[in-house]
Amino acid sequence: MYSFSACAFSHFISSLKGKMRQGLPGVEAQLLMSPSIRKNVNGNSSSNGQTRQSAVLILFFPDEDETRLVLIKRQTYEGLHSGQVSLPGGKWEEVDGSLEQTALREAFEEVGVNPERVELVGRLTPLFIPVSNMMVQPVVGFTPEKPDFHPNLQEVDYIITVPVEQLFYQKNKSVRVISVNGSPITAPYYNVNGEFVWGATAMILAELEAVASRK
């Protein structure tokens, strides 16, 4: 049972900073929401010389008496992550001085969050995504007020914001069998406002949940 919304936003952020300084749960926590098969088409399940770097932003903001988290529903397109729910983010580019800058730039490009209003808290454990041969760095941050969102409709179908407490209700976690490339796999998922949140995003949220639920 979680009671995040019972705390003021500032208290939640302060508490999260302290919990992250205790160290990260790491891969063990991520694997709690891992699909049954994590390999790319070549059978790889770990990073290699061709792996690209990327980052996503785990962004919190206050909304009345709630602490909310930002997710996006991606547009449908010819690609690996078409139509999926994810965190704002994307590939590292040479203009980025760090993966934190990648996360901030992508959040600005995808949902219009002003990087100057984001205060960074820290990093969670990097996660390798076999299907795209990508190493993704989750970056945690917050804004002191609700952002003025502007979704990039070329990439984002719509923005989803969810109260942290609601996200981590046990009743909002389940498992289903889905077909990937014609093969059935078991996929743990978070139910977010009726959306199916699974794969790498669910694994990143699982580590966030493990950190935030510490006493």
Side-chain angles (χ1 to χ4, degrees):
M1 176 64 67
Y2 303 96
S3 57
F4 299 124
S5 65
C7 302
F9 176 75
S10 59
H11 179 75
F12 170 80
I13 295 298
S14 176
S15 175
L16 183 63
K17 289 178 179 178
K19 291 171 180 178
M20 289 181 66
R21 285 195 292 268
Q22 296 174 24
L24 298 175
V27 174
E28 183 177 352
Q30 293 173 342
L31 289 177
L32 294 174
M33 297 296 284
S34 173
S36 57
I37 296 178
R38 294 194 73 239
K39 294 180 180 180
N40 67 15
V41 292
N42 297 314
N44 296 321
S45 58
S46 59
S47 60
N48 53 72
Q50 301 302 313
T51 300
R52 295 170 295 172
Q53 298 296 311
S54 65
V56 295
L57 183 63
I58 301 173
L59 183 69
F60 298 103
F61 68 91
D63 188 10
E64 297 182 354
D65 61 344
E66 296 178 326
T67 295
R68 286 182 172 260
L69 175 72
V70 181
L71 295 165
I72 59 173
K73 176 79 168 184
R74 296 204 173 277
Q75 291 284 10
T76 300
Y77 59 91
E78 292 294 328
L80 297 170
H81 305 295
S82 172
Q84 292 186 1
V85 176
S86 67
L87 294 154
K91 292 181 289 186
W92 177 86
E93 296 183 1
E94 291 185 2
V95 297
D96 301 326
S98 65
L99 288 171
E100 282 79 4
Q101 291 301 311
T102 301
L104 292 172
R105 175 182 54 76
E106 288 283 348
F108 175 70
E109 293 176 0
E110 292 183 337
V111 298
V113 174
N114 183 352
E116 295 182 357
R117 299 299 296 162
V118 180
E119 181 175 331
L120 298 179
V121 175
R123 296 181 172 194
L124 294 184
T125 303
L127 175 65
F128 177 63
I129 304 178
V131 68
S132 56
N133 199 16
M134 191 85 69
M135 183 68 77
V136 59
Q137 175 61 64
V139 177
V140 181
F142 68 93
T143 56
E145 68 287 311
K146 182 178 180 179
D148 184 16
F149 292 115
H150 295 283
N152 178 350
L153 296 180
Q154 291 186 322
E155 299 183 48
V156 178
D157 190 0
Y158 50 85
I159 296 170
I160 303 166
T161 70
V162 58
V164 179
E165 181 181 33
Q166 176 184 321
L167 173 65
F168 294 146
Y169 280 155
Q170 189 61 38
K171 66 179 182 180
N172 287 333
K173 290 188 288 184
S174 190
V175 179
R176 69 169 60 167
V177 176
I178 62 174
S179 177
V180 176
N181 296 325
S183 299
I185 68 169
T186 302
Y189 69 96
Y190 291 93
N191 182 339
V192 178
N193 300 339
E195 298 283 357
F196 175 53
V197 183
W198 70 289
T201 300
M203 294 177 71
I204 291 169
L205 292 177
E207 186 180 31
L208 174 66
E209 179 181 2
V211 172
S213 62
R214 286 171 170 164
K215 301 300 184 182

